[in-house]
């Protein structure tokens, strides 16, 4: 059962610009979450029920065309996601082997939610021709940042993914009709980061990691009519 409230404003403070701001609050009753039990001798994941969850925050996003060739865009958000009521959660990793099998983690952070996240990007383009087609040559750069976040349904000091920033770039030629071609790179500075940390079932303290994508390059060809 979800109750969601949202209020905001959408504006265009200057010519060719957008500035939006939003506040929101979401309350969830009987929230279901997939968990992995770290108990000794147990190797299973199961669907657990948290009686109450609250997610609230604020978002600000903006874009501007500085001139006909150059544009900028960015966004920043603050998000607080907590269990308001979760009395029978599985034990966190560091309490594996305790005489009790469950723990009240009401007030703890939800997994996968960074308090702070943001993006910033820009692109420069200029009219031109390629193989007789009129279009635009362009070069762009984008950055993404997120603060650290819990990676386990039951928060653990060992299962917190550290903050990281990623940078992506692209350069090429595009048209509305005809052949577009561009080269791109993701994680161009080859940042080492985790997407997820999780406990191994039936263990004595081990945990595993899902690694983020390494630096990747590619070329895309696109033909439109």
């Amino acid at each position: 059962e979800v109750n969601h409230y949202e209020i905001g404003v959408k504006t265009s403070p200057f010519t060719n610009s957008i500035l939006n701001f939003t506040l929101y609050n979401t309350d969830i009753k009987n929230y279901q979450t997939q968990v992995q039990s770290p108990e000794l001798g147990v190797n299973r994941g199961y669907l657990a029920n948290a009686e109450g969850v609250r997610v609230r925050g604020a978002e600000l996003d903006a874009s501007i065309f500085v001139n006909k060739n150059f544009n900028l865009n960015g966004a920043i958000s603050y998000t607080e996601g907590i269990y308001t009521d979760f009395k029978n959660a599985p034990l966190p990793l560091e309490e594996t082997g305790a005489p009790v099998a469950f723990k009240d983690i009401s007030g703890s952070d939800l997994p996968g939610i960074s308090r702070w996240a943001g993006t910033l990007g820009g692109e420069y383009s200029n009219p031109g021709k390629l193989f007789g087609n009129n279009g635009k040559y362009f070069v762009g750069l984008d950055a993404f940042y997120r603060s650290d976040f819990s990676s386990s349904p039951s928060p653990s000091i060992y299962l917190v993914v550290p903050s990281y920033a990623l940078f992506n770039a692209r350069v090429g030629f595009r048209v509305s009709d005809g052949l577009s071609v561009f080269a791109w790179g993701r994680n161009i500075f080859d940042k080492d980061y985790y997407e997820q940390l999780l406990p191994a079932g039936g263990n004595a303290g081990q945990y595993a990691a899902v690694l983020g994508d390494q630096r990747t390059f590619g070329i895309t060809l696109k033909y439109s009519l």
Side-chain angles (χ1 to χ4, degrees), residues 65 67-71 122-130 133-140 170-175 181:
F65 284 86
N67 54 45
K68 65 179 182 179
N69 302 107
F70 185 54
N71 69 80
E123 182 178 288
Y124 177 82
S125 62
N126 201 47
K129 285 188 175 184
L130 181 66
N133 294 317
N134 293 316
K136 288 186 177 182
Y137 290 96
F138 68 90
V139 58
R170 60 194 180 277
V171 60
F173 177 84
R174 62 168 170 252
V175 296
V181 56

Side-chain angles (χ1 to χ4, degrees), residues 109 113-116 145-150 160-164:
D109 288 342
I113 297 179
S114 295
R115 290 294 174 101
W116 291 99
Y145 167 81
R146 68 180 303 181
S147 61
D148 58 12
F149 61 92
S150 170
V160 175
V161 175
S163 62
Y164 60 86

Side-chain angles (χ1 to χ4, degrees), residues 118-122 141-145 165-168:
T119 62
L120 182 64
L141 180 66
D142 300 297
F144 167 77
Y145 167 81
L166 303 176
F167 294 84
N168 307 318

Side-chain angles (χ1 to χ4, degrees), residues 35 38-39 46 48-51 83 85-96 98-108 153-157:
V35 301
E39 294 178 67
Y46 61 93
N49 189 77
E51 288 79 6
Y83 297 107
D85 189 0
F86 195 3
K87 295 182 175 64
N88 294 308
L91 294 175
L93 185 66
E94 57 268 31
E95 296 182 29
T96 298
V100 294
F102 299 97
K103 182 178 182 178
D104 184 353
I105 61 169
S106 303
S108 298
S154 295
S156 165
I157 59 174

Side-chain angles (χ1 to χ4, degrees), residues 8 10 29-31 37 60 62 91 97 103 105 110 112 125-126 135 156 176 188 192 199:
K10 296 182 178 182
K29 293 182 179 180
N30 298 319
Y31 175 82
S37 173
L60 178 70
L91 294 175
K103 182 178 182 178
I105 61 169
L110 286 171
S125 62
N126 201 47
S156 165
S176 56
I188 58 176
D192 292 328

Side-chain angles (χ1 to χ4, degrees), residues 171-173 179-184 186 217-223:
V171 60
F173 177 84
L179 179 65
S180 298
V181 56
F182 59 94
W184 50 264
R186 291 193 290 264
F217 295 105
I219 296 176
T220 298
L221 300 176
K222 177 183 175 182
Y223 188 84

